[in-house]
Amino acid sequence: MFGTIIDYYTLTQDATYNDITIQAIVHQVGKFNDFMPENQTRSEGNDDQGFWAMAAMSAAENNFPNPPKDKPQYLALVQAVVNQYIQRWDTANCGGGLRWQISPFNNGFQYKNTISNGCFFNLAARLARYTGNQTYANWATKVFEWEESVGLITPSYDIYDGASVESQCKGIDKIQWSYNAGSECF
């Protein structure tokens, strides 16, 4: 929702919702400036963290008004999330990929889904373009190619929901959600 408000401001220059949007983004920052606020850490998934980071990336790209100077800025927030994604990249199961959930005790921890990996791809690609840093481009390529290699993205660009680590991602859940496809675009 807040990404949409940022888009709205960018297109209209109507600043009506800017203060509440900045307040909402800053409220979700967390003590490590990574969109993992204490009130969410027990249930937050990689996709949840990614949605906030994509809003912050849009804010940086579109020169949305910055948070107060004593708060983390948009680019730093996005970089913190991508750095965490890099640390969570799981090569022990399915040869790579992010799990849906961050914490092992949450339902969905055994599932690698397209939206979590799509958020990673989206953010890494956008950071590569925004900063010119090749490391981000390399990660975007790695994530996308991993999704292709396990069959989450088919040669005809059908984009499926995910797969279980118990099967080493052999049994793909072929449900198609529009937000999965949307996360692979920027």
Side-chain angles (χ1 to χ4, degrees), residues 101-167:
Q101 296 297 316
I102 297 168
S103 299
F105 52 78
N106 284 333
N107 287 336
F109 183 73
Q110 299 301 324
Y111 194 65
K112 293 195 177 182
N113 65 348
T114 299
I115 192 58
S116 295
N117 288 283
C119 288
F120 189 4
F121 164 76
N122 183 292
L123 292 166
R126 290 167 72 187
L127 278 172
R129 185 176 63 191
Y130 189 80
T131 66
N133 185 326
Q134 185 62 39
T135 300
Y136 295 128
N138 294 345
W139 271 103
T141 300
K142 184 175 189 167
V143 173
F144 195 87
E145 288 176 350
W146 175 81
E147 289 179 292
E148 288 180 313
S149 75
V150 296
L152 295 177
I153 299 174
T154 71
S156 60
Y157 296 101
D158 291 321
I159 300 177
Y160 299 133
D161 190 57
S164 173
V165 298
E166 285 105 349
S167 71

Side-chain angles (χ1 to χ4, degrees), residues 60-74:
E61 291 165 333
N62 293 301
N63 295 313
F64 190 74
N66 287 309
K69 291 190 185 306
D70 65 331
K71 302 294 181 189
Q73 301 301 294
Y74 303 124

Side-chain angles (χ1 to χ4, degrees), residues 47-60:
D47 57 340
D48 302 316
Q49 190 180 29
F51 296 140
W52 281 104
M54 286 191 291
M57 191 71 231
S58 291

Side-chain angles (χ1 to χ4, degrees), residues 12-97:
T12 67
Q13 294 302 296
D14 177 358
T16 301
Y17 307 105
N18 286 7
D19 289 343
I20 191 116
T21 301
I22 294 166
Q23 178 187 9
I25 291 171
V26 168
H27 182 73
Q28 294 300 318
V29 164
K31 67 180 178 180
F32 298 111
N33 299 333
D34 57 4
F35 291 118
M36 289 190 68
E38 289 185 33
N39 66 336
Q40 297 295 320
T41 55
R42 293 191 51 83
S43 62
E44 186 171 5
N46 282 305
D47 57 340
D48 302 316
Q49 190 180 29
F51 296 140
W52 281 104
M54 286 191 291
M57 191 71 231
S58 291
E61 291 165 333
N62 293 301
N63 295 313
F64 190 74
N66 287 309
K69 291 190 185 306
D70 65 331
K71 302 294 181 189
Q73 301 301 294
Y74 303 124
L75 179 61
L77 290 166
V78 177
Q79 290 171 317
V81 171
V82 168
N83 287 336
Q84 287 185 341
Y85 283 170
I86 291 167
Q87 292 172 4
R88 292 185 199 129
W89 186 256
D90 174 22
T91 57
N93 296 284
C94 308

